[in-house]
């Protein structure tokens, strides 16, 4: 039996969010490392490894065969979730894509608006835009964490549809459910705070008072999570 490989930090974040016993759909699977690892480690019984391209699906099939997981993992050509039907998977991972693309994939599959479906999302860019889409469409981020991979800090979130209507906290688009407990989480929040401070300064220079007020509230929220004191104003 070939020894099981280790996932990189980014995929391990996603794997940690997968509920034991889940039936998984891995969207944009590439080499199918995540479903192979989850099945062969015994965390889940079966998975569907999906990708939009034949090349990645071939690579996925090779990985599945190499680790003798053909009886537990199916490959499927699919543009996002277009080739899936409701009930085929109770846990969906969409990782390694831009946040706007993830939002488009979810928006094109209304059946994911179901509290019994767990979404595990790992955006590479446009994290704010993805969080806004989720909130505005009735999804709630149940938990979120970060990891560091070289110079990059990535976030992953566990999401479920609730359908509830609520006022979005000003800090949510920028911090999500990140608690700032680890070095990587604090690095992510610090980076967001620096970006917001620059944006707030720009809004002030342009005389955009409402935008400045919104950004100031978000900055205050980040400082609270980070345990920082508010700066003294003259």
């Amino acid at each position: 039996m070939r020894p099981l490989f280790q996932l990189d930090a980014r995929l391990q974040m996603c794997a940690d969010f997968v509920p034991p016993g889940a039936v998984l759909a891995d969207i944009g699977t590439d080499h199918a490392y995540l479903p192979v690892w989850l099945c062969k480690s015994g965390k889940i019984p079966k998975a569907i490894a999906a990708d939009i391209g034949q090349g990645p699906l071939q690579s996925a099939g090779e990985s599945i065969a190499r680790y003798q997981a053909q009886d537990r993992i199916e490959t499927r050509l699919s543009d996002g979730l277009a080739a899936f039907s409701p009930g085929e998977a109770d846990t969906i991972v969409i990782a390694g894509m831009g946040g706007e693309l993830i939002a488009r994939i979810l928006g094109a599959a209304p059946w994911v608006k179901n509290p019994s479906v767990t979404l595990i999302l790992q955006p590479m860019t446009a994290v704010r835009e993805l969080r806004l889409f989720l909130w505005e469409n009735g999804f709630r981020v149940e938990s979120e964490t970060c990891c560091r991979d070289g110079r990059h800090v990535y976030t992953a979130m566990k999401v479920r549809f609730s359908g509830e209507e609520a006022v979005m906290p000003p800090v949510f688009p920028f911090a999500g459910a990140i608690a700032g407990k680890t070095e990587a989480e604090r690095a992510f929040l610090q980076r967001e705070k620096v970006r917001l401070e620059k944006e707030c300064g720009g809004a002030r220079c342009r005389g955009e008072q409402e935008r400045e007020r919104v950004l100031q509230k978000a900055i205050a929220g980040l400082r609270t999570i980070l345990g920082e004191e508010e700066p003294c104003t003259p």
Side-chain angles (χ1 to χ4, degrees), residues 7-222:
L7 294 173
D8 63 26
R10 185 176 61 83
L11 286 180
Q12 188 63 58
M13 258 197 320
C14 298
D16 290 343
F17 276 144
V18 174
V23 177
L24 183 79
D26 183 30
I27 307 303
T29 194
D30 198 11
H31 288 79
Y33 291 145
L34 183 63
V36 168
W37 189 90
L38 287 166
C39 284
K40 297 304 289 186
S41 68
K43 190 171 187 180
I44 65 173
K46 60 185 294 188
I48 303 169
D51 208 287
I52 194 172
Q54 287 286 4
L57 272 190
Q58 182 176 343
S59 298
E62 291 169 357
S63 296
I64 293 165
R66 187 179 305 120
Y67 290 92
Q68 301 177 12
Q70 300 97 318
D71 59 333
R72 302 174 70 179
I73 305 174
E74 170 194 343
T75 60
R76 183 176 300 181
L77 188 69
S78 182
D79 182 357
L81 289 162
F84 285 79
S85 300
E88 284 194 278
D90 55 43
T91 301
I92 299 167
V93 174
I94 311 178
M97 302 182 195
E100 291 171 327
L101 176 55
I102 294 174
R104 287 200 298 272
I105 290 172
L106 296 177
W111 56 268
V112 300
K113 290 187 171 184
N114 183 333
S116 66
V117 176
T118 299
L119 302 175
I120 298 165
L121 312 176
Q122 192 280 299
M124 302 293 277
T125 59
V127 182
R128 296 181 187 180
E129 290 80 358
L130 176 58
R131 291 200 191 104
L132 285 170
F133 167 86
L134 293 170
W135 190 278
E136 291 168 357
N137 285 273
F139 295 95
R140 293 296 175 261
V141 180
E142 295 185 343
S143 52
E144 188 169 357
T145 191
C146 302
C147 75
R148 185 181 288 278
D149 188 354
R151 296 185 297 107
H152 300 285
V153 178
Y154 301 107
T155 183
M157 57 191 81
K158 185 177 181 179
V159 177
R160 198 181 305 275
F161 181 73
S162 73
E164 66 180 16
E165 294 184 7
V167 177
M168 184 177 65
V171 75
F172 176 76
F174 314 102
I178 299 171
K181 293 181 178 179
T182 68
E183 183 276 333
E185 290 179 3
R186 293 182 67 82
F188 186 96
L189 295 174
Q190 286 284 2
R191 183 184 69 187
E192 283 298 295
K193 183 167 72 76
V194 169
R195 290 175 60 191
L196 278 176
E197 288 170 341
K198 291 180 180 178
E199 292 175 25
C200 189
R204 186 181 305 115
C205 290
R206 294 188 297 270
E208 299 172 354
Q209 295 181 353
E210 178 60 22
R211 177 63 175 163
E212 181 186 359
R213 184 185 64 81
V214 169
L215 294 174
Q216 284 176 338
K217 285 187 176 182
I219 293 168
L222 287 173

